[in-house]
């Protein structure tokens, strides 16, 4: 990843996890190519299963590194909340996670899961893009410092 958001070649890999193709598509469309002008462009990596997420996050190939993850808390059979908690405990230098929750009242579960940001369904494109951009800024700062 190139750290400068103004570099036209800069990209951040964003993993999107949901068992529903429609939810993954909604996330991609809401984020677009770049969620904010001051962050790099997004390269999406999609996963429909928890084992797929773990394989991507555990990859030792620097070109395959995931910079930020978006997890669907309503995914089945493995929900995004439990998966988030698992990776926060098990993945060294775990990327920040934005969690999509079914209800605003699920915020306490998101706190338990150790999610870095939370957005509720139905997906609000502005809220999702702003939350992701903030995580991208934090990740850029963490990797450069």
């Amino acid at each position: 990843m190139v750290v400068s958001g103004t570099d036209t070649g800069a990209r951040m890999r964003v993993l999107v996890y949901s068992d529903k193709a429609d939810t993954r598509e909604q996330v991609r469309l809401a984020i677009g190519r770049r969620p904010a002008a001051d962050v790099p462009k997004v390269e999406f990596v999609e996963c429909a299963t928890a084992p797929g997420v773990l394989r991507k996050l555990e990859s030792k190939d620097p070109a395959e590194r995931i910079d930020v993850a978006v997890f669907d808390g309503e995914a089945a059979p493995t929900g995004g909340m439990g998966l988030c908690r698992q990776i926060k405990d098990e993945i060294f230098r775990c990327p920040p996670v934005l969690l999509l929750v079914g209800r605003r009242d699920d915020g306490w579960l998101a706190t338990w899961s150790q999610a870095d940001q939370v957005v509720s369904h139905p997906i609000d494109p502005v809220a999702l893009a702003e939350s992701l951009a903030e995580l991208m800024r934090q990740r850029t700062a963490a990797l450069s410092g």
Side-chain angles (χ1 to χ4, degrees), residues 61-119:
D61 183 353
E64 297 291 316
R65 184 184 71 223
I66 300 299
D67 295 299
V68 181
V70 179
F71 286 0
D72 180 4
E74 304 300 308
T78 304
M81 289 184 217
L83 184 58
C84 181
R85 173 115 180 170
Q86 178 183 348
I87 68 165
K88 291 292 186 168
D89 289 342
E90 295 177 3
I91 304 291
F92 180 66
R93 294 189 180 149
C94 182
V97 177
L98 188 157
L99 187 62
L100 303 172
V101 295
R103 301 170 301 149
R104 216 175 282 266
D105 293 342
D106 288 339
W108 71 274
L109 283 169
T111 300
W112 168 85
S113 73
Q114 302 176 28
D116 299 280
Q117 291 279 347
V118 179
V119 174

Side-chain angles (χ1 to χ4, degrees), residues 2 21 28 38 99:
V2 179
R28 283 192 330 270
D38 65 329
L99 187 62

